[in-house]
Amino acid sequence: MRVTFPHMGTSHIAFKHLINNLGHEAIVPPAPSKRTLSLGVRHAPEFACIPFKILLGSYIEALENGAEMIISSGGVGPCRAGIYGLLHEEILKDLGYDFEMLIFEPPLRGLLDFIKKIGRVIRPTRVSWPTFIKVFKTSWQKLIILDETEILSHQIRPYEVIRGETTRAFKEALTLIDKAETRQELDSAGQAAEMLLRDVTQDRSRKPLRIGLIGEIYVVLEPFINLDIEKTLGEMGVETHRSIYLTDWTRDNTVFDGEKDIKNAAKPYLNQLIGGHGINSVGETVLYASNGFDGVIQLAPFTCIPEIVAKSILNRVSRDLNIPVLTLFLDEQTGTAGAQTRLEAFTDLLLQKRRNKGDLDATGIFGN
Amino acid sequence: MKETIGYPTALSYYSYYPFWNAFFTTLGFSVVISPASSKQIIDWGVKETVNDACIPIKLFHGHVMSLKDRVDYLFVPRMVSVDGKTTFCPKFLGLPDMVRWSIPDLPRLIDERIDLKKGARGLLSTCYKIGNFLKQNPARVFYAYLVAQWVHRQYQDNLNRGIFPNKILPSKETGRGLNSIETEIRIAVLGYPYEIYDSYISVNLLQKLNEMGVAVRTVEMLSNKVLGGYRHRLSKNLFWQYSNRVLWATYHYLEKKIDGIIHVSAFGCGPDAMLDKLMQLEAKKHDIPFMTLTLDEHTGEAGVVTRLEAFVDMVRFRRESS
Ligand code: SF4
């Protein structure tokens, strides 16, 4: 069967591996583009958030490329993302597409349903459960290496001497990881990726600003929507720390020690799960502040409810803990130029703050 | 002097005011409600909230502003779940925090979490917690709870009998004879009670339709039992209390061969973006006229009237030519 799935950051490299090794043909959704977005906008409700529109657009593109099955994830709410799949299916069927939609709810919701759905994927190709588990593990490993490589790239970029060198190295690294098939190949691809990045010429005497990125997972992960913010800031000489990765729960984290920490940090301001990453956004800001970060940028889809709630509380957190927070609500109209100006103004502000504290070496835009 | 509890006449007010009013007054407090929504209230709300918030949330902040300096307590419950399955929209969940961190100099907040996972007993224990906070003795709280339950049941029965909340609740002018006219066309006006029955924000939509000779049907006219019957229609329910009710009412009225559906939606409402499309696709399957009316603080009366007239004419024409 020809199977497609959502495009989110670099994760398609791992998903492609999974689908192909289960004996299907992965129809990798094209990286989101203007066309994807405009397809999505045309058929989605006007006030759906931008991830919904992008996903819808990329499903259409994948269906045009021959996909017969769409695999996506559900969710437990109360954020809208949990019913994306349901509505995507209704809309696509109404448009006349013929396909099967498989929405994976978190296994805790109903293990049986979860297993049945996996069965739906592996039965047609007669893949045994042990093989499935093996393939799944390798794909997961791939996902971890992808995330780690990306994290490293964000740590190196603000020190690069030749602008763009990190990004070039990162792209090369991705190709290596994409090619790796077995566990061993994957291990060496991971090491090679790390070397490629560490080889970037760097000026370690810089003291870059440190900015934490918080917000809704899809827009944080997908550079097409977030104006490639990590690269943009990195090339301005800012080190970014992103709060969310797909493989989060497997990694020891220097800033956050996991969900519980984040919730505790949020507690004085918001003591209630509100869906999406709402409570995380509040808690992470508190943690970034106590870890000495210079500022926080909140990335949120326009009309995203949990992030709106978070934003209205963040005003106060920012004042109390003296950490500037910039919120970017992203939609199909967010122009790169406008956002670029806002980012520059924000980093200027942070630099000014540092200098006021007497830190004259603070590195700013392009290291000056 | 009795201590006063301020009750903003917005959001869950339309569903639960009679209950809480009975509860607090039985306990010996006097309940002060905010005046009906007005330009002033909206302006306050717009000033105090992040501009990305939806209009009902802005309104709520405005109502808080109008109360905060003249009451001892302010009632801003955290509405989490009333059936243990669905929740309220995330903005309801975060409401006490949004209010607390955006509006300065508030009186003490009664912001107990209302989460009835354990059924009605959960409500009783919530009442005990509130009673405890207000330094009331448990026996009295229990009594007040029983009275409130009784009052709430009366209220629900009245709603199910087709009486609009605005005719019963104190804050809003009653309108006249709504729905009493026997006409040939019936239109379901579906949306959240805090938009539909707030005659300021809804630009008096129900009455206007009535004057055009339309018999209006709303979500509140259907009992929980009828609505609950549609619980399994979709492979997965929506997450939000009010949105599910609207969707289930849509299924119901479409089955009952309503002549048209108007979805009243709040500008920038997250759940509505999904709900509206589901309703629209469903109406399309039944070939019933459907219109979305999106309200915000700038919605002009004239524009709404024009759209309503056009819709009603179209519905009537279809009716006559069939
Ligand atoms: S349900 Fe919609 S209108 Fe109501 S509070 Fe939530 S976002 Fe606002």
Side-chain angles (χ1 to χ4, degrees):
Chain A
M1 218 175 340
R2 290 191 292 267
V3 181
T4 193
F5 41 84
H7 191 286
M8 232 198 202
T10 57
S11 62
H12 57 274
I13 295 175
F15 289 135
K16 180 174 94 183
H17 177 91
L18 177 69
I19 302 289
N20 285 341
N21 282 283
L22 292 178
H24 297 288
E25 183 191 337
I27 304 287
V28 178
S33 65
K34 287 235 167 68
R35 175 166 190 267
T36 320
L37 186 54
S38 77
L39 279 172
V41 168
R42 186 165 340 132
H43 301 293
E46 185 184 353
F47 293 115
C49 26
I50 191 150
F52 183 93
K53 295 175 181 170
I54 302 255
L55 286 181
L56 183 62
S58 58
Y59 292 154
I60 294 178
E61 289 179 317
L63 290 166
E64 286 170 350
N65 290 344
E68 299 154 308
M69 178 189 263
I70 300 175
I71 295 186
S72 191
S73 65
V76 289
C79 157
R80 284 181 277 180
I83 47 168
Y84 275 11
L86 181 104
L87 191 54
H88 280 138
E89 184 175 3
E90 292 266 338
I91 294 174
L92 292 168
K93 293 252 153 94
D94 181 63
L95 290 175
Y97 288 104
D98 182 22
F99 63 99
E100 183 177 350
M101 184 107 186
L102 212 52
I103 303 168
F104 279 91
E105 297 295 340
L108 292 177
R109 249 205 150 189
L111 195 55
L112 204 65
D113 180 65
F114 190 72
I115 291 172
K116 254 202 236 143
K117 281 179 180 155
I118 292 178
R120 178 71 197 87
V121 178
I122 63 180
R123 207 171 317 112
T125 47
R126 297 174 198 282
V127 168
S128 69
W129 277 89
T131 316
F132 167 74
I133 291 170
K134 200 170 134 248
V135 172
F136 185 83
K137 276 193 181 152
T138 328
S139 311
W140 184 252
Q141 184 66 19
K142 222 174 202 192
L143 208 52
I144 292 179
I145 292 180
L146 284 166
D147 276 356
E148 274 165 0
T149 309
E150 195 179 342
I151 293 172
L152 185 63
S153 79
H154 300 320
Q155 289 165 347
I156 286 180
R157 194 174 283 111
Y159 298 97
E160 73 185 8
V161 175
I162 306 155
R163 213 170 140 206
E165 199 185 338
T166 317
T167 303
R168 271 192 299 279
F170 178 58
K171 288 208 174 115
E172 220 175 297
L174 289 184
T175 323
L176 287 180
I177 301 171
D178 188 16
K179 283 204 192 108
E181 284 295 329
T182 61
R183 275 305 263 272
Q184 289 78 0
E185 284 174 22
L186 209 47
D187 282 341
S188 40
Q191 282 159 12
E194 188 178 337
M195 262 164 45
L196 272 173
L197 282 166
R198 295 210 188 276
D199 268 356
V200 169
T201 340
Q202 301 167 48
D203 170 4
R204 297 304 292 192
S205 70
R206 291 179 188 165
K207 284 197 198 164
L209 287 171
R210 288 161 75 220
I211 295 183
L213 296 179
I214 61 167
E216 189 275 339
I217 183 163
Y218 193 82
V219 297
V220 171
L221 254 50
E222 187 49 66
F224 172 70
I225 320 183
N226 66 30
L227 318 151
D228 219 341
I229 192 159
E230 288 157 308
K231 177 165 165 275
T232 313
L233 284 173
E235 291 181 353
M236 285 167 145
V238 175
E239 183 174 341
T240 53
H241 181 280
R242 191 211 279 175
S243 53
I244 322 164
Y245 285 88
L246 277 181
T247 58
D248 258 348
W249 53 95
T250 60
R251 188 171 331 102
D252 280 341
N253 210 310
T254 42
V255 179
F256 314 126
D257 246 354
E259 287 282 298
K260 223 172 117 228
D261 245 31
I262 297 174
K263 277 169 200 142
N264 278 335
K267 218 173 216 167
Y269 295 96
L270 175 66
N271 187 10
Q272 168 71 43
L273 290 177
I274 53 170
H277 283 76
I279 196 167
N280 300 55
S281 289
V282 174
E284 284 154 0
T285 303
V286 173
L287 292 172
Y288 279 128
S290 55
N291 277 282
F293 274 69
D294 296 283
V296 167
I297 295 179
Q298 179 192 19
L299 296 169
F302 177 64
T303 76
C304 169
I305 330 169
E307 295 300 332
I308 290 173
V309 177
K311 182 185 175 195
S312 72
I313 297 168
L314 281 175
N315 284 336
R316 180 60 182 258
V317 179
S318 160
R319 236 185 310 138
D320 283 2
L321 306 180
N322 190 21
I323 183 162
V325 178
L326 170 72
T327 302
L328 293 176
F329 275 108
L330 304 159
D331 69 2
E332 53 263 34
Q333 265 118 40
T334 314
T336 325
Q340 178 86 18
T341 323
R342 291 187 62 197
L343 286 181
E344 280 170 13
F346 187 65
T347 49
D348 276 351
L349 169 93
L350 299 184
L351 270 181
Q352 199 51 51
K353 260 193 88 197
R354 261 213 195 170
R355 292 198 176 117
N356 290 346
K357 275 197 277 179
D359 183 355
L360 298 175
D361 295 341
T363 345
I365 295 167
F366 313 134
N368 51 33
Chain B
M1 260 277 283
K2 281 184 184 173
E3 282 194 297
T4 52
I5 296 176
Y7 199 131
T9 58
L11 297 181
S12 59
Y13 168 82
Y14 295 91
S15 315
Y16 303 110
Y17 171 79
F19 181 92
W20 292 111
N21 179 52
F23 180 72
F24 291 129
T25 45
T26 311
L27 286 179
F29 291 87
S30 103
V31 174
V32 179
I33 58 168
S34 51
S37 302
S38 60
K39 176 93 174 41
Q40 168 73 83
I41 287 189
I42 294 205
D43 287 349
W44 269 328
V46 168
K47 200 172 137 270
E48 298 300 331
T49 36
V50 289
N51 51 4
D52 316 273
C54 58
I55 187 70
I57 290 290
K58 289 179 179 164
L59 259 183
F60 189 89
H61 283 69
H63 282 277
V64 167
M65 288 295 288
S66 85
L67 280 170
K68 69 174 184 115
D69 294 327
R70 47 196 183 97
V71 293
D72 301 311
Y73 298 91
L74 200 64
F75 185 56
V76 189
R78 193 191 292 282
M79 302 300 297
V80 177
S81 178
V82 291
D83 64 359
K85 295 189 192 85
T86 51
T87 76
F88 285 77
C89 153
K91 289 177 196 160
F92 278 77
L93 303 186
L95 191 64
D97 309 291
M98 293 173 92
V99 168
R100 179 178 292 115
W101 303 121
S102 350
I103 302 181
D105 307 318
L106 289 173
R108 272 174 294 173
L109 292 192
I110 303 174
D111 63 348
E112 203 46 62
R113 177 181 274 118
I114 301 191
D115 187 356
L116 310 187
K117 271 197 207 74
K118 295 183 205 86
R121 253 198 286 133
L123 183 56
L124 179 57
S125 78
T126 306
C127 286
Y128 279 133
K129 280 187 201 143
I130 294 178
N132 188 28
F133 176 73
L134 295 171
K135 304 200 175 48
Q136 299 294 310
N137 89 45
R140 240 177 106 179
V141 172
F142 184 62
Y143 174 66
Y145 164 80
L146 291 181
V147 174
Q149 282 283 28
W150 186 81
V151 169
H152 184 64
R153 223 165 297 135
Q154 304 290 309
Y155 180 57
Q156 288 249 300
D157 287 348
N158 279 326
L159 296 187
N160 293 163
R161 227 174 279 139
I163 305 177
F164 285 122
N166 346 21
K167 291 188 92 180
I168 313 173
L169 297 174
S171 86
K172 314 282 142 134
E173 82 295 346
T174 43
R176 47 163 190 87
L178 281 178
N179 240 14
S180 54
I181 323 165
E182 257 328 299
T183 53
E184 20 94 82
I185 65 166
R186 296 175 311 134
I187 292 183
V189 180
L190 307 179
Y192 309 137
Y194 47 86
E195 293 152 15
I196 300 224
Y197 304 116
D198 186 315
S199 38
Y200 185 82
I201 198 69
S202 74
V203 287
N204 229 339
L205 160 95
L206 297 183
Q207 182 151 350
K208 291 211 172 84
L209 282 168
N210 235 218
E211 282 160 9
M212 293 174 195
V214 171
V216 172
R217 295 287 178 267
T218 65
V219 179
E220 284 65 33
M221 292 174 187
L222 303 177
S223 68
N224 291 341
K225 202 161 154 248
V226 169
L227 290 174
Y230 297 92
R231 203 170 267 285
H232 300 293
R233 206 31 105 75
L234 272 185
S235 58
K236 182 174 183 176
N237 274 313
L238 306 183
F239 301 118
W240 320 286
Q241 167 78 7
Y242 283 126
S243 317
N244 272 320
R245 293 171 60 88
V246 171
L247 188 60
W248 297 337
T250 309
Y251 294 143
H252 175 83
Y253 286 124
L254 285 173
E255 260 171 28
K256 291 277 176 279
K257 306 258 175 306
I258 195 92
D259 297 303
I261 292 185
I262 298 178
H263 178 208
V264 177
S265 168
F267 184 86
C269 167
D272 271 355
M274 321 301 277
L275 174 63
D276 185 69
K277 191 76 185 186
L278 287 172
M279 291 171 76
Q280 189 191 321
L281 292 172
E282 196 65 25
K284 185 172 162 193
K285 283 180 206 157
H286 284 79
D287 192 27
I288 297 289
F290 177 87
M291 169 171 97
T292 310
L293 203 59
T294 308
L295 304 174
D296 73 0
E297 64 263 45
H298 311 296
T299 304
E301 182 125 18
V304 170
V305 172
T306 320
R307 291 197 59 202
L308 287 183
E309 278 170 354
F311 186 72
V312 170
D313 283 349
M314 190 257 284
V315 169
R316 192 167 277 137
F317 178 75
R318 266 178 62 119
R319 182 67 193 258
E320 277 155 15
S321 54
S322 70

